[in-house]
Amino acid sequence: MKMKSLTAQKLIGVRIANEILMYLRARKKGGKEISLYEPIGTDRDGNEIRLYDIIETTDTDVPEKLYLKENIQKLYEKVESELSPRERLVLKMRYGLYNGEEYTQREIASLLGISRSYVSRIEKSAVEKLRVWFC
């Protein structure tokens, strides 16, 4: 009988060990999650350092970037739908739209065979048309 008792104790011990192992594994999986605001150490002056402080950037915030991207997309849509072909061409060349090269009014006038003042009037008219949609 002593033999059966010892075997039962071993089985119970193995079962308990397995339960503990499963518990530790489950905690380990959840243990990888960390808060950005959790202190991770201190600096030379004794101030707490948080993970957020280390990965923080000085770039524009993501919502601002998304807002800017949406506005640029709307601008391009309005350029295509509201402006004449000549106005589109002048703005495209003047401001380097669609990843193009930027030109001066004088250069545009020379390329299109029109006066610089006429390029200026076309540009001003096109910008005013777009301003209505964005202001």
Side-chain angles (χ1 to χ4, degrees), residues 49-133:
I49 298 175
R50 302 178 193 296
L51 185 57
Y52 179 80
D53 297 328
I54 295 170
I55 62 171
E56 183 178 21
T57 66
T58 57
D59 291 344
T60 308
D61 290 328
V62 172
E64 289 179 29
K65 285 182 180 180
L66 289 174
Y67 180 73
L68 180 62
K69 186 176 181 178
E70 287 173 5
N71 279 342
I72 290 170
Q73 183 63 37
K74 286 179 188 176
L75 174 65
Y76 281 138
E77 289 171 7
K78 291 300 177 187
V79 165
E80 293 298 321
S81 66
E82 302 296 325
L83 302 181
S84 71
R86 180 164 267 188
E87 289 171 326
R88 278 196 302 265
L89 180 60
V90 168
L91 286 187
K92 178 183 174 186
M93 294 174 77
R94 185 77 174 106
Y95 298 104
L97 300 180
Y98 305 101
N99 295 321
E101 189 177 336
E102 293 182 22
Y103 295 91
T104 65
Q105 288 180 344
R106 202 174 298 314
E107 291 170 327
I108 295 169
S110 175
L111 290 169
L112 298 179
I114 57 178
S115 70
R116 191 215 48 84
S117 63
Y118 188 45
V119 170
S120 178
R121 287 194 303 265
I122 294 170
E123 179 185 346
K124 183 177 178 181
S125 169
V127 169
E128 285 301 317
K129 283 181 183 179
L130 294 174
R131 185 171 287 145
V132 169
W133 294 102

Side-chain angles (χ1 to χ4, degrees), residues 1 11 111:
M1 288 257 224
L11 289 175
L111 290 169

Side-chain angles (χ1 to χ4, degrees), residues 19-66:
E19 289 294 325
I20 292 171
L21 184 60
M22 287 174 31
Y23 174 77
L24 291 175
R25 284 181 180 163
R27 294 242 6 224
K28 186 177 179 182
K29 286 180 184 176
K32 290 182 181 179
E33 296 175 10
I34 185 167
S35 169
L36 292 175
Y37 300 99
E38 186 175 316
I40 58 171
T42 56
D43 61 9
R44 280 189 248 167
D45 300 328
N47 301 318
E48 278 189 342
I49 298 175
R50 302 178 193 296
L51 185 57
Y52 179 80
D53 297 328
I54 295 170
I55 62 171
E56 183 178 21
T57 66
T58 57
D59 291 344
T60 308
D61 290 328
V62 172
E64 289 179 29
K65 285 182 180 180
L66 289 174

